[in-house]
Amino acid sequence: MPQPFRHTGPASLLLSLALLTAAPALADLQAGRLAFFAGDYPAAFREFNAAAEAGDSSGQYLAGEMLVQGRGIPKDARRGMALLEAAAASGHVGAQSLAGALYAFGQDMPADYTKALAYLRPAAQAGDMNAQNNLAALLYFGLGTRQD
């Protein structure tokens, strides 16, 4: 016999709200990916940026990467780095790896080996091969111990 509806408390309500609010960000990311692979970079950026503004770490990473590279939009390394750092702070491994590489090699900004290590270590521990390689290079050449 089917069970009657039971109220399960505030936890189920919060979970439902979280799932409902995540759906638009996922739609933005999917639309952005489709636009990106179709070569419509301005449309891709608009979608990724909308997800980023909603607090989605993948949106922050993708919009940040496009800004850093200037792909389809004017290059803005400072704004791109802010988005990458926001994504990295929430544990996005790709953002940690890219932010670490940008700080390690000083691309479009002064090198900062302390920040590079702070981003590369968790990404390398999570298995990101680019982060592992960049971290190894910093440590091998002793750059991870210098303050520049």
Side-chain angles (χ1 to χ4, degrees):
M1 176 186 272
Q3 294 289 325
F5 175 76
R6 293 185 315 182
H7 177 68
T8 58
S12 63
L13 176 62
L14 290 175
L15 178 60
S16 298
L17 289 174
L19 292 174
L20 287 174
T21 57
L26 293 176
D28 292 339
L29 289 176
Q30 182 61 23
R33 287 185 178 105
L34 290 172
F36 187 89
F37 290 119
D40 187 354
Y41 300 129
F45 178 76
R46 283 192 303 275
E47 297 296 338
F48 295 153
N49 196 50
E53 288 177 354
D56 182 85
S57 64
S58 291
Q60 292 166 335
Y61 166 69
L62 293 166
E65 186 173 22
M66 289 186 78
L67 283 164
V68 166
Q69 293 177 359
R71 184 174 288 202
I73 53 170
K75 189 174 193 173
D76 187 344
R78 183 179 300 228
R79 184 170 164 230
M81 196 60 164
L83 287 171
L84 290 173
E85 288 181 314
S90 68
H92 192 285
V93 174
Q96 292 169 337
S97 181
L98 182 54
L102 293 170
Y103 277 122
F105 301 109
Q107 181 180 334
D108 296 321
M109 67 189 67
D112 185 326
Y113 302 119
T114 301
K115 286 184 179 181
L117 289 171
Y119 287 119
L120 290 173
R121 278 195 174 112
Q125 290 170 344
D128 184 281
M129 290 187 294
N130 290 322
Q132 291 168 347
N133 183 56
N134 290 330
L135 179 61
L138 281 179
L139 296 175
Y140 178 78
F141 291 109
L143 299 174
T145 58
R146 289 186 7 202
Q147 298 293 319
D148 287 1

